[in-house]
Amino acid sequence: MINRKEFLKIGGLAGAGLAGAGMMTGCSDSGRNRTGEERLNHIREQAETPRAGQFNMHGYAAPPLDIVRVGITGIGNRGSGTVRRLASIEGVEIKALSDLEEDRVNRAIETISDRHTPDGYFGGEDEWKRMCERDDIDLIAIATPWHLHTDQAVYAMEHGKHVYTELPAADTVEDCWRLVETSERTRRHCVQMSASCHYPNYSVLLNMIRHGVFGELITAEGAYVHDLLSDYNFTKHMYHNMWRLKENIGRHGNLYPQHGIVPLMQMFGITSGDQFDYMTSMSTDDFMMGKKAEERAAEDEFWEPYVGRDYRGNMNNSTIRTKNGKVILLQHDVTSPRPRIFKRLVSGTKGAYAGTPDRFAFGHEFVTEEEFDALVEEYTPAMTRAFQEFEKEATLGQGLSSYERVNMQDWRLIDCLRNGLPVEMDVYEAATSSVITPLSEWSVANKSAPIDIPDFTNGAWESNGQGMNVNLETGGGSTGLV
């Protein structure tokens, strides 16, 4: 059986195109192309290697930008939505769009032509670099395949740009450190797009937690459970060059932890008052992806290279213990026919929250619908109320699909940059949530042995102030939608 590196080379992930790993000038290996024991040993080595901090980006406020000039790289499924979302925020000017495929760039330019006139970069593998090198762009948004995120983010920060990257921000331990060190050295923000407490229901929950409604938090459960088997991973035209399916080959762990863990990090004050200590991880075997490949190949020879591959286990369970003695269960399953779940439980000394659907409990029974509604009304924070008012007044984005409609995370990032406020999701959050993937791979391969989680704040978590100013205590909330 050929190994992962050889398969990716044959299958095209290491070949030409936007999904090419190593075909883009200046892209770093950072351990990603190592295989087998070499890869696992590198994960452990990097996790144990201490690094010196240069500057604390938590709470750092960059100089205000009256107009936030934006360039976007990767105009595919997600990137096309990113274009429309950012274009619908007051004070944003879309200056440039980049993708290998010219038609994608042109279609995206057309969708925002009533208000923006961006330049297009396409055709060459390094066109995104030309965009980053411009001196009239403040923020680079990244929506390319996973393995390109870190190199593009680092290059953008080194050229004076703030970064707003799709998740994962990185997928090796070394790349997590590269992001942190570059952000600290350049004093440019690196913000990861992810589920967060900017979601309206999560913002209410965070506000309740900070007001002591649930007491001291003890434990939580988060998940990314989403059936992507047939309509996403085993569909020819969903992802360029089948890059996302290939991510599921030869890697056994939690490949997509951010949606489940980031809101919980904000609720538990991870990187600002508490910090992840160590984790363990266990995966099932694969009972579905291999069979799906065989089914597809029986009907279409296109799928034959995907038969007999080493697919990741269908369900991964990872358990994380924090420095303050809290425990979080994190799950990943994108193959089973189950309802979509991001976050399932938050439990404290006085009460608990359970999700899907949202419920509160302060004993053996959940509160009534009337009591639930009263608590939501009482604890809906100022930031959420402000954004919802702007949504009511806006016209652009109405009727679009969910990933094309501006969300509160997009809006608040631009609002903070325009008002010269600290961003609410910094590079430490991006690195800490992203490092779970390689660490889970190591633990799974070592019979669920524990592995320490690097402290990307270099001890600053003990003194860092509270992030996520959901009640706009430090200002802002003044940027509208169009």
Side-chain angles (χ1 to χ4, degrees):
M1 180 178 292
I2 62 176
N3 63 29
R4 170 179 166 80
K5 186 175 182 180
E6 291 167 339
F7 171 73
L8 296 181
K9 189 178 296 183
I10 294 170
L13 187 58
L18 184 57
M23 288 300 291
M24 304 184 80
T25 305
C27 286
S28 167
D29 173 7
S30 298
R32 197 180 209 283
N33 291 327
R34 292 177 170 86
T35 60
E37 286 300 315
E38 182 187 12
R39 174 178 171 81
L40 295 171
N41 291 337
H42 188 72
I43 290 171
R44 183 64 181 264
E45 175 188 339
Q46 289 297 313
E48 294 178 341
T49 301
R51 309 287 184 106
Q54 304 170 73
F55 177 80
N56 188 358
M57 289 297 291
H58 183 85
Y60 170 70
L65 301 166
D66 182 48
I67 301 296
V68 181
R69 302 167 297 177
V70 177
I72 301 170
T73 179
I75 317 297
N77 294 322
R78 302 298 297 182
S80 59
T82 303
V83 172
R84 299 190 73 156
R85 296 198 324 269
L86 296 181
S88 65
I89 304 174
E90 180 184 64
V92 166
E93 183 179 353
I94 307 297
K95 298 291 291 186
L97 305 179
S98 173
D99 195 278
L100 276 183
E101 300 184 19
E102 180 180 359
D103 62 331
R104 287 182 173 182
V105 173
N106 290 337
R107 285 197 303 268
I109 290 174
E110 179 62 27
T111 64
I112 59 172
S113 60
D114 58 332
R115 297 189 67 252
H116 300 269
T117 56
D119 297 321
Y121 292 80
F122 46 81
E125 292 163 352
D126 286 342
E127 288 299 297
W128 62 274
K129 288 187 174 182
R130 292 181 55 217
M131 181 177 68
C132 291
E133 291 163 1
R134 290 174 53 155
D135 60 7
D136 62 345
I137 291 178
D138 307 300
L139 175 71
I140 294 291
I142 299 170
T144 52
W146 296 351
H147 64 283
L148 301 177
H149 293 176
T150 303
D151 288 315
Q152 293 182 334
V154 167
Y155 194 84
M157 287 187 283
E158 288 178 338
H159 285 81
K161 313 301 188 286
H162 300 298
V163 168
Y164 191 32
T165 178
E166 268 284 0
L167 54 87
D171 65 1
T172 70
V173 182
E174 190 171 347
D175 276 348
C176 289
W177 278 114
R178 287 175 63 212
L179 289 177
V180 169
E181 291 169 348
T182 306
S183 179
E184 291 182 342
R185 173 168 46 82
T186 63
R187 300 195 184 186
R188 292 298 181 268
H189 294 301
C190 180
V191 178
Q192 179 181 248
M193 304 181 203
S194 171
S196 70
C197 286
H198 291 97
Y199 283 32
N201 57 337
Y202 298 171
S203 72
V204 173
L205 183 56
L206 177 63
N207 203 28
M208 293 175 71
I209 290 167
R210 291 183 174 175
H211 280 86
V213 176
F214 301 106
E216 182 172 359
L217 297 190
I218 301 171
T219 190
E221 298 175 12
Y224 187 70
V225 175
H226 191 190
D227 183 4
L228 303 178
L229 184 63
S230 298
D231 294 337
Y232 290 81
N233 283 329
F234 281 94
T235 300
K236 288 184 181 180
H237 307 295
M238 181 60 69
Y239 299 104
H240 182 89
N241 210 11
M242 304 302 296
W243 70 262
R244 187 156 182 174
L245 177 59
K246 293 169 186 174
E247 289 285 359
N248 290 271
I249 298 170
R251 304 178 68 196
H252 297 275
N254 188 324
L255 304 188
Y256 207 66
Q258 287 85 356
H259 283 321
I261 198 63
V262 169
L264 298 178
M265 290 175 61
Q266 293 162 345
M267 294 172 197
F268 279 74
I270 303 301
T271 75
S272 56
D274 200 356
Q275 181 65 24
F276 290 156
D277 192 2
Y278 62 90
M279 67 175 291
T280 64
S281 190
M282 180 182 293
S283 289
T284 68
D285 288 344
D286 168 49
F287 297 93
M288 301 187 71
M289 298 191 79
K291 290 181 179 178
K292 180 60 68 174
E294 292 174 359
E295 292 173 8
R296 290 282 199 259
E299 301 171 353
D300 185 345
E301 65 180 8
F302 172 86
W303 298 102
E304 290 178 0
Y306 299 93
V307 174
R309 302 274 62 87
D310 179 26
Y311 289 104
R312 56 151 184 81
N314 302 133
M315 169 61 82
N316 174 270
N317 289 312
S318 296
T319 306
I320 301 169
R321 183 177 171 89
T322 77
K323 296 285 189 181
N324 290 344
K326 318 298 179 66
V327 173
I328 296 173
L329 170 65
L330 188 62
Q331 294 186 314
H332 175 268
D333 180 356
V334 294
T335 47
S336 301
R338 298 174 53 185
R340 182 174 179 174
I341 297 172
F342 283 176
K343 181 167 48 59
R344 303 195 308 186
L345 177 72
V346 177
S347 182
T349 57
K350 295 181 180 179
Y353 158 88
T356 319
D358 296 322
R359 292 161 292 171
F360 304 136
F362 302 98
H364 289 294
E365 304 291 336
F366 290 110
V367 302
T368 66
E369 184 176 346
E370 291 75 15
E371 292 171 318
F372 177 90
D373 290 343
L375 286 167
V376 170
E377 175 60 28
E378 180 179 358
Y379 289 103
T380 296
M383 180 170 63
T384 304
R385 294 184 189 278
F387 178 72
Q388 290 174 340
E389 285 301 314
F390 287 129
E391 274 191 309
K392 292 177 184 177
E393 299 170 1
T395 57
L396 188 63
Q398 293 181 0
L400 300 175
S401 61
S402 60
Y403 73 92
E404 294 176 308
R405 291 196 301 271
V406 64
N407 58 56
M408 192 156 64
Q409 182 185 29
D410 303 324
W411 168 76
R412 185 58 171 158
L413 170 62
I414 299 300
D415 186 56
C416 287
L417 291 176
R418 295 187 70 210
N419 284 284
L421 299 172
V423 296
E424 293 179 335
M425 298 174 67
D426 56 37
V427 69
Y428 308 114
E429 194 168 79
T432 302
S433 62
S434 296
V435 81
I436 290 170
T437 293
L439 299 187
S440 71
E441 293 181 64
W442 184 92
S443 183
V444 167
N446 286 276
K447 294 186 175 181
S448 304
I451 184 168
D452 289 346
I453 300 175
D455 173 14
F456 295 102
T457 74
N458 281 291
W461 64 268
E462 295 184 87
S463 57
N464 280 343
Q466 180 176 277
M468 282 290 296
N469 292 301
V470 292
N471 282 304
L472 304 177
E473 297 94 339
T474 59
S478 56
T479 297
L481 304 177
V482 298

